[in-house]
C-alpha cells in the first residue's frame, strides 16, 4: 500500500453523536494535520482498502501513514496521540493494560450508543 501523508479519521456525518465528538476534536490544535473523512458521503462503497462503509459506521476507524487500519479504542489512542492536548493520553492508551481497558470501554459504549444517538437526535430537534 502507498504511504499516506496524514492520519485519516473516518466518521459518520449522519450521526449527531459522532458529529459532536468529531467537531470537538477538529477544534483542537493539530487537527489541521489530520484528514477527516465523512463516510456518510461515500454512497455505501468501501471507504478504504479493507474497510467497508458498513464496518466504518459500526465502529470508529483511523488509517495511519503506513496504511495500518485501527478501530475502536485503538483508533482513539492513535487520534489522541496526534493532538497535542491529548498526546500523553494517546501514547499511554497504546500500552497495556490501558489499551485493553480502553477497548473494553469502547465495546461498552457501542452497546449503549443507540440510546445515546437517540438522545442526541431528540436534543437537536427540540
Amino acid at each position: 500500500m502507498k504511504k499516506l501523508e496524514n492520519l485519516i479519521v473516518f466518521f459518520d456525518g449522519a450521526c449527531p453523536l459522532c458529529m459532536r465528538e468529531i467537531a470537538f476534536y477538529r477544534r483542537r490544535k493539530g487537527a489541521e494535520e489530520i484528514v477527516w473523512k465523512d463516510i456518510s458521503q461515500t454512497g455505501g462503497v468501501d471507504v478504504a482498502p479493507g474497510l467497508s462503509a458498513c464496518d466504518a459506521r459500526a465502529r470508529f476507524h483511523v488509517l495511519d501513514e503506513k496504511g495500518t487500519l485501527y478501530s475502536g479504542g485503538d483508533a482513539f489512542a492513535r487520534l489522541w496521540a496526534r493532538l497535542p492536548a491529548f498526546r500523553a493520553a494517546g501514547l499511554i492508551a497504546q500500552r497495556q493494560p490501558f489499551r485493553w481497558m480502553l477497548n473494553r470501554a469502547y465495546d461498552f459504549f457501542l452497546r449503549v450508543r443507540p440510546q445515546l444517538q437517540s438522545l442526541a437526535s431528540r436534543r437537536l430537534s427540540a
Side-chain angles (χ1 to χ4, degrees):
M1 171 175 256
K2 178 184 149 198
K3 188 173 189 243
L4 304 170
E5 296 287 323
N6 299 84
L7 184 77
I8 301 173
V9 172
F10 301 97
F11 67 95
D12 185 356
C15 165
L17 188 64
C18 304
M19 283 304 299
R20 289 180 75 123
E21 184 167 13
I22 292 301
F24 170 81
Y25 289 124
R26 289 180 89 163
R27 290 189 303 270
R28 308 283 74 86
K29 181 179 179 188
E32 66 281 354
E33 300 295 322
I34 296 170
V35 176
W36 304 90
K37 187 167 181 183
D38 181 354
I39 58 141
S40 70
Q41 305 296 315
T42 62
V45 298
D46 286 356
V47 297
L51 180 59
S52 70
C54 182
D55 288 344
R57 278 189 300 277
R59 293 179 67 83
F60 181 66
H61 292 81
V62 302
L63 185 67
D64 74 5
E65 293 87 351
K66 296 175 186 172
T68 303
L69 188 65
Y70 297 91
S71 75
D74 292 330
F76 276 103
R78 299 292 165 168
L79 170 59
W80 295 341
R82 298 304 174 92
L83 300 171
F86 298 96
R87 184 163 288 132
L91 295 173
I92 291 168
Q94 292 177 42
R95 303 187 60 91
Q96 296 297 357
F98 306 104
R99 180 177 179 219
W100 180 88
M101 291 186 303
L102 181 59
N103 278 295
R104 296 304 72 75
Y106 184 77
D107 291 343
F108 173 76
F109 163 76
L110 288 180
R111 288 196 299 271
V112 299
R113 184 172 75 169
Q115 293 85 358
L116 294 173
Q117 285 174 319
S118 178
L119 283 172
S121 293
R122 278 185 267 157
R123 289 187 85 175
L124 288 175
S125 63

